[in-house]
């Protein structure tokens, strides 16, 4: 039977520290509330950004560095377990000075200017990632 | 009086099947947890995409097919009832290999490469769509 | 000790009125359910848009007016207190007829064509904004 203790604590709003890597900061914010299974959203701004795109045919990510101040229009993702440890999977939609948009998978290198996150714990058994042969990705088993 | 039984079950994280239509997969995932009123978010990637844009003056959608591998930066929407059946309303923000973005209303034809959804049931009375004369859309009554 | 009374009411889905300013409508929708600390999401369409971008070095916003019908792909943000009053902080990702995207910080001047919001109350002590010297923004204390 599923425990629903986690879900009943409800979502948490938290400010993330300036100058820190976004994925790292989210990982720490989740750990602080003991969330190992959660939905994440975030808005704010970055001092610079680094985004990934998955080449579905070549089964590898390519990165795109953006040395520019950008707004975080939408950071959306989740936390689950990978190799037994909490793992943040986050996609980012960003905007530039002219309001044009850029986006991708958040890799290391997104440096926070200001960020407001909402972490919503999800109840039930642990959710674990494992290698998925058809895609080459680590997906939920 | 409102029942809050549904909301207390909390959000659910679920992986959607590769090769399936995104809106269809979300409709089935919601049915599996008996959610007929919910918020939906989704990240992942598509093998190809199909987006709609509503011509507010002409009161009709136009479609835009994208035969390209794209990241799902943000799928955001909801489930409510239309003609008595669960209906998914979803908007998509997508990114390409160069991190540029495209987006629109999700119609049939968004084929999943990998997708992770969060379905958050919402408590209270059923929410039903009906024709709205001022917009030409089916909105909540 | 934190009260969790608010969180247990769960998220609310609500339609926002046509012709109204989006941030104003969200502020009123939150007030109607007495939410002063919440996550907000919204999809829909705008009759016209107005977006901001924060110049991190100059410490001021510049605005970008878009006199065009656009889809709201993703409105994401939160409600907390500023000067003791509920304050909506919202970022918008929008799309045009050709599915290209624009986005930024939502300022006054986003006029609703149709909008469906989800307001998720967050439990616990009030969250207040105050001036933050390192960024020049009003962030959570």
């Amino acid at each position: 039977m599923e425990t629903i203790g986690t879900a009943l604590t409800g979502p948490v709003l938290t400010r993330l520290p300036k100058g820190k890597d976004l994925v790292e900061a989210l990982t720490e914010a989740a750990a602080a509330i003991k969330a190992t299974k959660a939905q994440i959203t975030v808005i704010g701004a970055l001092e610079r950004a680094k985004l990934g795109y998955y080449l579905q045919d070549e089964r590898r990510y390519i990165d795109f560095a953006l040395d520019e101040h950008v707004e975080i229009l939408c950071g959306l993702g989740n936390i689950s377990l990978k190799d037994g440890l909490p793992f943040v999977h986050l996609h980012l939609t960003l905007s530039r000075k002219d309001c044009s948009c850029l986006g991708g998978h958040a890799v290391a290198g997104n440096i926070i200017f200001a960020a407001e996150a909402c972490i919503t714990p999800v109840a039930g058994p642990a959710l674990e990632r494992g290698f998925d042969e058809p895609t080459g990705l680590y997906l939920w088993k």
Side-chain angles (χ1 to χ4, degrees), chain A:
Chain A
M1 199 181 123
E2 287 199 1
T3 166
I4 55 166
T6 311
L8 290 177
T9 63
V12 171
L13 287 172
T14 187
R15 171 180 166 185
L16 305 178
K18 185 177 190 307
K20 187 134 196 169
D21 182 83
L22 180 60
V23 171
E24 201 179 311
L26 287 168
T27 305
E28 289 177 11
I33 61 165
K34 299 187 181 10
T36 56
K37 185 180 175 189
Q39 178 180 242
I40 300 173
T41 63
V42 57
I43 62 169
L46 297 173
E47 296 176 359
R48 59 177 193 271
K50 198 158 183 189
L51 302 167
Y53 170 90
Y54 190 69
L55 297 168
Q56 295 178 17
D57 293 331
E58 299 182 31
R59 297 163 76 93
R60 62 179 178 94
Y61 278 99
I62 49 172
D63 286 348
F64 186 91
L66 188 63
D67 190 12
E68 196 177 322
H69 299 171
V70 287
E71 302 283 332
I72 304 172
L73 300 181
C74 171
L76 178 64
N78 54 60
I79 302 177
S80 57
L81 299 179
K82 188 177 172 187
D83 300 325
L85 294 173
F87 175 84
V88 168
H89 183 201
L90 185 77
H91 280 195
L92 286 171
T93 314
L94 308 172
S95 69
R96 306 161 108 169
K97 198 175 170 179
D98 62 358
C99 293
S100 65
C101 296
L102 286 171
H105 174 87
V107 295
N110 291 287
I111 306 304
I112 296 168
F113 177 73
E116 299 172 353
C118 185
I119 301 176
T120 304
V122 172
L127 195 56
E128 296 195 81
R129 295 184 180 275
F131 184 72
D132 176 67
E133 182 48 40
T135 59
L137 293 168
Y138 285 76
L139 302 179
W140 295 327
K141 294 173 193 170

